[in-house]
Amino acid sequence: MGLTVNERIKELDIQAQYYANEQNDKHGVSWIRTYKEKFAELIVQECATLMAEQKKYYADPGKYETMEYYARMEAKEDAFSDAEVIIKQHFGVES
């Protein structure tokens, strides 16, 4: 069975291609290097964005029923916030 690429990856691929084309046209830089760097950056940014969205979900006080539940969800919110920063730092992607 072959691997399939989801639509979001295809969208990021196209964004990276457009960016590489622009940079190549403006500055004469290596297209493939620019494309690879931008594509990787976009994937990392997507991962960080997913963590930020999860953080917002767990930060909604309307979802909490008890103080114990609130404490567990607050810990998860912190973990997602940390994950967002860690992912970006690990791959050298700025916000």
Side-chain angles (χ1 to χ4, degrees):
M1 178 167 29
L3 297 175
T4 60
V5 178
N6 74 25
E7 290 303 311
R8 186 63 184 138
I9 292 290
K10 291 176 185 176
E11 290 171 2
L12 297 176
D13 173 59
I14 291 168
Q15 286 179 29
Q17 288 180 43
Y18 283 130
Y19 180 81
N21 288 339
E22 286 178 358
Q23 294 304 305
N24 186 270
D25 291 345
K26 289 180 185 176
H27 307 290
V29 296
S30 166
W31 187 92
I32 194 69
R33 180 178 178 175
T34 303
Y35 164 78
K36 286 179 180 182
E37 288 175 358
K38 188 63 173 180
F39 187 56
E41 179 184 325
L42 290 170
I43 290 172
V44 171
Q45 188 63 48
E46 188 80 4
C47 293
T49 298
L50 289 172
M51 294 302 101
E53 289 172 0
Q54 288 297 308
K55 175 184 165 188
K56 286 178 189 174
Y57 173 81
Y58 285 108
D60 182 356
K63 294 181 175 44
Y64 305 127
E65 299 172 6
T66 66
M67 288 306 290
E68 179 184 343
Y69 184 73
Y70 176 79
R72 285 189 288 136
M73 292 303 107
E74 189 173 87
K76 284 184 179 182
E77 177 187 345
D78 291 343
F80 285 119
S81 182
D82 292 346
E84 176 186 0
V85 171
I86 290 167
I87 288 168
K88 287 179 180 179
Q89 286 178 346
H90 180 77
F91 290 102
V93 174
E94 297 180 18
S95 297

